[in-house]
Amino acid sequence: MEILQALALCALLFGLLGLGISVAITLVIVGILGLFFLSNAPIGPVVSTAIWGSTTIWTLAALPLFIWMGEILFRTRLSEDMFRGLTPWVNRLPGGLLHVNNVGSGIFAAVSGSSAVTAATIGKISLSELRSRGYPDRLAVGTLAGAATLGFLIPPSVPLIVYGVGAEVSIARLFIGGLVPAAIILALFMILTGVWSKLRGDMPKEVDNYTWRQKLKALLLLLPVLGLMVAVIGSIYAGWATPTESAAVGVLGALVMSLAGGSLTWNTFAQSLMGAARTTCMIGFIVGGATVLTVMFNYTGIPLTLAKAVAALDLNPYLFMFVLTAIYLVLGCVLEGISIMVLSAAIFVPVVSAMGFDLIWFGIYLVIIIEMALITPPIGFNLFVIQQISGRDILFISAAALPFFATLLFATALIVVFPELVLWLPDLMMR
């Protein structure tokens, strides 16, 4: 009976989403209807308590701070300095300055927590520079689309905060767990870029030979953001600060950097605050709606029934993850990342936990899946961001990003087969 109820609720959920109703409102509607028809719970007190409780917990305070930090840095000259700072170090690699997109996105992701902000910040300077130097547009757009997805995996990560709150696991351990997979994915992206460039054979020749003195001087342009990255991530790993406290350090560092760089004005300060407020409210609304859905499921007992049913099937773990990945890839075509994350915390976490999977590992797995959703049409948010920057149509950008989608799929298989790639550093934290 519970299985049929779950199917009916899922059909209602996707039906409302298909009608264009916002994700947060859809979650609340389905939650209220489920409580009304499938339980005897007092709807008013349950819904109001769920929304209030989920949006006022202290752990979630890191969310607006990290978002604000990214908004501040987005309005600085950081991308220009990053391009000039990285150029002497990557211009002789196979693929040349295309690696500015890869490495630059990896660095900026570590201080922004947002994939969209990473794509916009790196892309606004790199695409014009790469085009002026004669790099093929498909490679320039593809490397940007792929590498910018790292904004969701390298801490501080907004989706990991949302997942940590919903699944009730340590956000600090989630942050640290994303470091090794992120490094592997970045290395795979760089290898892909080099191989793709060699196979095309129409790359411009980078003739500049930089001395070590010039390289070290260029490195100075990267020191501010690298210092901020170390302060944010290092303070968490060393146990000196909680994620919320490190977020406050990050905001202070971003303000100091933008003030020292001359790009902090009252106008940019106000714009960064408003941008952070809008994004935080949007995510908070989704989290509140997801909590209503979760509470409804708990009252009806549907997740427990599903978990027992899946456990009774005694599926091979690899087969289970294969099926789950296929489901997520379909969801990624119609839902954006935060929505997938909150729905997973409500529906799939109990099932995954019953199967014996580590929830820290599952959070990193989910984020990599969400990264694929960012470059999957028709909803892939990074595709729209890059469309605005590049002027190219969605189909062109999607085709250019396809090899990076395949690389992310390969990375997903790696962490499924070798879960210690995720759990090694978090386990070191506990010693």
Side-chain angles (χ1 to χ4, degrees):
M1 184 64 181
E2 284 85 357
I3 302 296
L4 293 176
Q5 292 172 350
L7 292 174
L9 289 171
C10 287
L12 176 62
L13 178 70
F14 289 109
L16 294 175
L17 291 172
L19 292 175
I21 300 174
S22 73
V23 173
I25 294 175
T26 295
L27 294 174
V28 173
I29 291 175
V30 174
I32 290 175
L33 290 177
L35 287 171
F36 182 79
F37 288 106
L38 304 178
S39 77
N40 296 319
I43 295 176
V46 167
V47 171
S48 58
T49 302
I51 293 176
W52 175 260
S54 64
T55 55
T56 57
I57 57 176
W58 171 246
T59 309
L60 207 59
L63 185 65
L65 290 173
F66 279 129
I67 293 172
W68 189 21
M69 181 177 70
E71 289 284 342
I72 294 168
L73 294 176
F74 175 63
R75 290 166 173 81
T76 68
R77 290 191 292 270
L78 182 66
S79 57
E80 299 173 28
D81 289 344
M82 193 172 295
F83 193 96
R84 287 183 288 149
L86 289 173
T87 295
W89 293 93
V90 302
N91 72 314
R92 307 300 291 181
L93 295 175
L97 297 186
L98 290 171
H99 292 292
V100 170
N101 281 342
N102 291 322
V103 182
S105 294
I107 293 174
F108 191 79
V111 291
S112 71
S114 168
S115 180
V117 171
T118 299
T121 304
I122 302 301
K124 69 181 181 181
I125 185 69
S126 72
L127 286 184
S128 60
E129 286 286 345
L130 292 172
R131 284 169 170 170
S132 68
R133 293 169 183 256
Y135 282 86
D137 226 26
R138 184 175 293 274
L139 269 70
V141 169
T143 52
L144 177 63
T149 61
L150 291 170
F152 270 177
L153 182 58
I154 298 178
S157 164
V158 171
L160 284 179
I161 296 174
V162 174
Y163 172 81
V165 171
E168 299 181 353
V169 296
S170 168
I171 293 175
R173 295 190 71 212
L174 284 169
F175 279 3
I176 301 304
L179 290 178
V180 172
I184 292 172
I185 291 172
L186 178 57
L188 291 173
F189 282 169
M190 294 183 71
I191 293 170
L192 171 62
T193 301
V195 172
W196 194 2
S197 302
K198 287 292 186 182
L199 290 176
R200 283 185 62 100
D202 59 351
M203 299 290 292
K205 298 292 184 181
E206 290 292 338
V207 297
D208 294 329
N209 288 313
Y210 293 93
T211 65
W212 277 103
R213 180 183 179 88
Q214 291 172 314
K215 288 183 177 182
L216 293 175
K217 186 176 180 180
L219 193 61
L220 293 175
L221 296 172
L222 302 176
L223 286 182
V225 67
L226 290 176
L228 188 60
M229 179 178 68
V230 171
V232 171
I233 301 175
S235 60
I236 296 174
Y237 184 76
W240 297 339
T242 66
T244 303
E245 291 165 345
S246 69
V249 171
V251 169
L252 179 61
L255 288 171
V256 171
M257 282 174 51
S258 56
L259 183 62
S263 55
L264 182 64
T265 64
W266 281 113
N267 186 42
T268 57
F269 181 79
Q271 287 178 348
S272 68
L273 270 178
M274 289 302 297
R278 282 192 293 267
T279 304
T280 302
C281 288
M282 180 270 291
I283 295 175
F285 198 5
I286 293 176
V287 169
T291 305
V292 173
L293 190 70
T294 302
V295 169
M296 181 272 291
F297 278 138
N298 289 337
Y299 269 101
T300 58
I302 290 175
L304 181 60
T305 302
L306 288 175
K308 289 180 178 178
V310 172
L313 293 175
D314 196 25
L315 292 175
N316 181 290
Y318 295 123
L319 177 61
F320 173 75
M321 292 310 302
F322 176 81
V323 174
L324 192 61
T325 300
I327 292 172
Y328 276 125
L329 291 179
V330 173
L331 289 177
C333 293
V334 295
L335 291 176
E336 48 82 34
I338 299 296
S339 303
I340 294 175
M341 191 63 82
V342 296
L343 284 174
S344 297
I347 300 173
F348 292 112
V349 163
V351 178
V352 170
S353 181
M355 288 287 295
F357 291 99
D358 187 281
L359 293 185
I360 297 293
W361 173 88
F362 185 65
I364 303 303
Y365 158 85
L366 267 182
V367 168
I368 298 177
I369 295 294
I370 288 174
E371 288 180 337
M372 286 190 271
L374 290 171
I375 52 177
T376 304
I379 307 296
F381 194 70
N382 275 22
L383 301 179
F384 294 104
V385 173
I386 296 171
Q387 181 186 36
Q388 292 179 347
I389 299 171
S390 66
R392 288 288 194 170
D393 62 79
I394 290 292
L395 290 179
F396 178 90
I397 301 170
S398 300
L402 187 59
F404 294 89
F405 176 91
T407 303
L408 288 170
L409 197 58
F410 174 70
T412 304
L414 275 181
I415 69 164
V416 170
V417 177
F418 305 106
E420 57 271 18
L421 293 174
V422 174
L423 299 174
W424 173 59
L425 280 180
D427 288 343
L428 283 181
M429 286 181 65
M430 302 298 292
R431 294 177 184 175

